[in-house]
Amino acid sequence: MLQEVPVKEKRLKDYAAVAGEDVVDEILQSVRPLKGARVLHVNATAFGGGVAELLATLVPLMRDAGLDAHWQVIEGAPEFFQVTKAFHNGLQGMDVSLTQRDFDTFLHYNRLNAERLSTDWDFIILHDPQPAAMARLVQEREQRPAGAAAGKPRWIWRCHIDLSSPNPVVRDFLRPWLEAYDAGIFTLRRYAGTGLQLPIIAEIPPSIDPLSPKNAAMSEEEARGIVGRLGVDTGRPLITQVSRFDPWKDPLGVIDAFRLVRERVPGVQLAMVGSLAHDDPEGQLYYDKTKDHAGGDPDIHLYTNLDGVADREVNAFQRVSQVILQKSLREGFGLTVSEALWKGTPVVGGNAGGIPIQIDDGVCGYLVESVQEAAERATYLLQHPGEAAEMGRAGQEKVRRRFLSTRNLLDYLHLFQRLA
Ligand code: UDP
C-alpha cells in the first residue's frame, strides 16, 4: 500500500453556518446514491502547496458525508521530483529540456508506486503530473482498461495546472498516459487544452476551508500580535504576498512593485511568506534570489515555514495587511487569492490562470499585467481605505458562494454520479 496520510475529523454540519445550510443539504442529497463508496486520492506530498491543502479538508468532508475516502502519497527520490518539476513547468508552457533518461525516471517511479497501489476502490483520483502514469500502469498490470465495461475503479485525473499551451514534448509524452483515465478534472474547462481525449472533462475550481486554522475567524488583536511578534510594525501599512518562492509567482516583481509603492506611501512594509515544499527543489534557490533582490532592506520581511510561519501566521498576515498581492505570471488557481478575500482583504493579482475568476477587477481587488500596474493599484488601495474595505467585503461574499470546500465537495459528488 502507498503511504496513507492521516487526516483530522471534520463535520459538515459545522460548515453550514459559514457556507450556508442550503449547500450542506444539497451535499447530503447528492451523496445518497453514493453512500459508502470507496474513494482514494493520490498525490505527491502531504505538506506544502495547494493540493495538500485541499485534500486535508476534502478527504475528511467526504468521509463525514458518508464516503469511505482516503488519501495516500507516492514516494520518489529527488531525481524524480526534479523531472516532475520540469514536467510541471513544461506543461505550463516553459521551454524545458528533457531527455529519454528523464522520461524513464518518471516511469520508473510511477511503476514502483503503481505496484503498491491497491485497486479496491470505486474512484481513484490522481492529482497532477507526478502520479499521472499510474492509472495506465495499473490497468496494464490488471489487464483491465478504463471505461464503464471495466467496472471499478473509475480513474480520474485531477489536474491543478493550466495545460492550454503546453510544451509539446511534455504533452506528447504524457498524452497516452492521460488518455487512460475515465475523466479529467480541470480548474477551468479551457485548461484541458485541445487534443486531450477523455470521456468526461469536468470543470471544478478548487476551494478553501473556512474553518481551517488558516481561514478561521481570528480577532484583530490576535492577528496584530502574531504579525508584530514576527517583526512587522503594525502601526505602519503592510503589503503581503503569500506564495512559494517560484519564478511564476514573480517574487522579484513583487519587490520591484513594493519599491514603487514606497515612493508614494512612505513607511509601507512588505512581507513575503513562502513555505518550502519538499517536492519543490527550486524553492531554496528562488528564496535566495529573492533575498538577494531585497538586499537587506529592513522593510522587506521574508518568511518561510522554517521561521515558524504556518497556518495561523498566514491567516494573520492576510488579515492585517491592507493589500494582498498575488503577482503571478502563470497560475493554476491561486488559493491564496480566495484565502485573502475571505478575510475581507482586497487582492491585487496577476491577470493569469484562475486569478481572474476570483478577482472581479475593480470589485474585490484589481487584475494587473505589470509591476507598474501592480504598484499603482496597491498604492490606490492604501490611499483609499474605505474603498479597499468595500472591495474586501465584496470579495468575501464571492468566496462564500464560489470557493469554499463545500462547493468543491458537491462538484465531486456530481462527477461521481456521472461515472457511477
Ligand atoms: N502557503 C502556506 N505558507 C506559505 C506559503 C503558502 O501555507 O508560506 C499556502 C497558501 O496559504 C495556499 C497554498 O500554500 O494555501 C498555496 O496554494 P496556491 O494555489 O496559492 O499555489 P501553489 O503553491 O499550489 O502553486
Side-chain angles (χ1 to χ4, degrees):
M1 200 182 92
L2 295 174
Q3 199 187 333
E4 175 97 11
V5 180
V7 291
K8 296 201 174 106
E9 226 173 86
K10 294 186 194 284
R11 304 233 166 269
L12 268 170
K13 64 172 166 49
D14 297 336
Y15 287 72
V18 278
E21 296 278 354
D22 50 340
V23 66
V24 172
D25 287 347
E26 206 180 336
I27 288 168
L28 298 175
Q29 290 281 342
S30 303
V31 83
R32 264 190 208 144
L34 296 160
K35 272 266 152 77
R38 283 174 52 73
V39 177
L40 175 66
H41 290 270
V42 177
N43 83 319
T45 175
F47 168 76
V51 180
E53 185 80 19
L54 274 173
L55 291 178
T57 294
L58 196 56
V59 171
L61 285 186
M62 282 186 169
R63 281 187 193 170
D64 193 54
L67 303 178
D68 185 13
H70 292 260
W71 172 12
Q72 296 176 3
V73 284
I74 58 166
E75 279 173 33
E79 56 169 357
F80 170 66
F81 290 117
Q82 252 141 29
V83 173
T84 59
K85 184 73 195 178
F87 277 21
H88 181 103
N89 287 336
L91 288 170
Q92 294 197 120
M94 209 190 229
D95 189 17
V96 288
S97 68
L98 287 159
T99 61
Q100 187 56 46
R101 186 154 179 256
D102 294 327
F103 293 131
D104 292 344
T105 300
F106 176 76
L107 290 179
H108 172 70
Y109 286 97
N110 265 261
R111 199 165 276 121
L112 290 181
N113 284 293
E115 279 163 13
R116 294 166 54 205
L117 179 73
S118 147
T119 53
D120 183 21
W121 303 95
D122 294 295
F123 303 98
I124 301 182
I125 303 118
L126 294 112
H127 291 257
D128 277 344
Q130 296 96 331
M134 287 168 65
R136 193 174 119 186
L137 289 166
V138 171
Q139 290 161 10
E140 285 171 359
R141 178 184 80 200
E142 306 217 331
Q143 298 184 331
R144 217 159 37 140
K152 297 172 189 172
R154 291 284 191 272
W155 296 91
I156 300 168
W157 187 50
R158 197 330 176 184
C159 178
H160 296 268
I161 54 185
D162 176 358
L163 302 194
S164 54
S165 49
N167 176 311
V169 178
V170 186
R171 178 199 60 201
D172 293 347
F173 168 76
L174 279 178
R175 183 181 289 162
W177 300 100
L178 300 180
E179 289 183 349
Y181 285 87
D182 295 297
I185 302 177
F186 291 84
T187 294
L188 297 176
R189 175 65 185 74
R190 68 178 163 81
Y191 282 10
T194 51
L196 184 62
Q197 298 297 321
L198 285 169
I200 295 177
I201 291 183
E203 177 178 293
I204 306 183
S207 56
I208 62 162
D209 180 344
L211 301 183
S212 70
K214 186 176 292 175
N215 298 310
M218 179 184 275
S219 72
E220 192 178 325
E221 190 191 350
E222 185 180 1
R224 284 181 176 277
I226 291 174
V227 169
R229 276 192 295 280
L230 284 161
V232 170
D233 177 354
T234 55
R236 290 193 278 144
L238 175 66
I239 298 176
T240 297
Q241 173 157 302
V242 177
S243 273
R244 290 180 293 110
F245 291 97
D246 176 302
W248 298 114
K249 313 276 186 187
D250 198 18
L252 307 188
V254 167
I255 291 176
D256 294 340
F258 165 74
R259 289 188 166 134
L260 291 174
V261 173
R262 189 163 54 185
E263 290 173 10
R264 311 252 300 276
V265 186
V268 66
Q269 306 158 93
L270 174 68
M272 301 181 73
V273 178
S275 60
L276 298 167
H278 95 275
D279 66 339
D280 184 16
E282 272 176 5
Q284 184 65 44
L285 189 77
Y286 230 73
Y287 173 81
D288 295 341
K289 271 194 189 176
T290 308
K291 200 167 173 189
D292 275 358
H293 203 66
D297 188 325
D299 285 330
I300 302 180
H301 302 270
L302 264 55
Y303 302 102
T304 73
N305 46 319
L306 306 177
D307 303 310
V309 174
D311 290 352
R312 276 164 37 81
E313 289 74 17
V314 168
N315 189 337
F317 272 103
Q318 289 168 332
R319 279 174 202 284
V320 169
S321 304
Q322 284 72 31
V323 179
I324 291 286
L325 275 185
Q326 187 53 56
K327 217 204 137 311
S328 306
L329 304 170
R330 291 276 173 95
E331 187 58 78
F333 179 70
L335 283 168
T336 50
V337 172
S338 278
E339 288 167 6
L341 293 177
W342 178 242
K343 286 141 199 151
T345 307
V347 181
V348 174
N351 189 8
I355 294 179
I357 65 168
Q358 300 174 77
I359 300 177
D360 296 323
D361 193 27
V363 177
C364 40
Y366 292 104
L367 295 171
V368 296
E369 307 270 358
S370 65
V371 165
Q372 185 70 36
E373 215 183 337
E376 278 167 21
R377 296 307 200 181
T379 302
Y380 182 86
L381 289 169
L382 289 171
Q383 292 176 335
H384 297 83
E387 261 180 75
E390 188 52 46
M391 286 191 183
R393 275 192 292 277
Q396 191 175 45
E397 192 44 37
K398 174 154 188 186
V399 172
R400 186 192 311 279
R401 280 184 287 108
R402 301 262 317 266
F403 302 119
L404 297 185
S405 327
T406 34
R407 193 274 310 144
N408 198 352
L409 169 58
L410 194 56
D411 288 347
Y412 265 97
L413 297 178
H414 291 154
L415 176 62
F416 292 162
Q417 284 177 356
R418 287 174 74 188
L419 287 165

